[in-house]
Amino acid sequence: MLTHPTAQALVEGVAAWLPLDGSASPFALRVARNALDIAARDMAPGPAADERAACRIAAILGRDDGPRDELDRALVTAIRAGTIAPDDPQLVAHLAASALDHLAIDQPRYLHELDPNLTKR
């Protein structure tokens, strides 16, 4: 689900950043633990969130399916070309759901509910 940095990049970054001699400060250890927690949360629900997003994007584009990255690029192209309006209800609902999926991974203690007024445009 995370696009940048990926879970793999977070884990690799922590491994490269922490000193091998065990001299990391308590703060550095907290930062490393938080990064690893984010990576772990991304690896668990991330693929399902990606699949849900791909299905939503395919529906918006009127396509059967496709890889998530390809669908994302096609959606951006359609918005830029004006074939999908920025205030299209399906697009707004997709963006809201995607934001909630990102929040569930990044900030799991945050209340993950949509304001009902947000989608009633």
Side-chain angles (χ1 to χ4, degrees):
M1 178 70 191
L2 289 177
T3 55
H4 295 89
T6 63
Q8 179 178 346
L10 282 171
V11 171
E12 290 171 355
V14 168
W17 180 62
L18 284 177
L20 295 174
D21 64 2
S23 64
S25 70
F27 175 76
L29 291 173
R30 282 193 308 272
V31 170
R33 171 136 188 195
N34 287 340
L36 293 175
D37 284 344
I38 291 170
R41 288 192 306 267
D42 183 53
M43 288 185 269
D50 279 338
E51 182 62 30
R52 289 190 302 273
C55 289
R56 289 190 306 267
I57 296 169
I60 293 168
L61 296 171
R63 293 174 52 172
D64 289 334
D65 61 5
R68 170 74 193 272
D69 290 344
E70 179 185 311
L71 290 168
D72 280 337
R73 285 190 297 275
L75 181 61
V76 168
T77 300
I79 294 168
R80 286 182 178 159
T83 56
I84 295 176
D87 61 349
D88 179 281
Q90 272 189 300
L91 177 62
V92 171
H94 161 65
L95 294 174
S98 293
L100 289 176
D101 280 341
H102 280 283
L103 282 171
I105 291 168
D106 190 46
Q107 300 292 327
R109 294 184 186 132
Y110 179 81
L111 181 61
H112 301 104
E113 295 177 4
L114 283 178
D115 178 345
N117 296 319
L118 179 65
T119 57
K120 290 183 180 179
R121 291 184 179 190

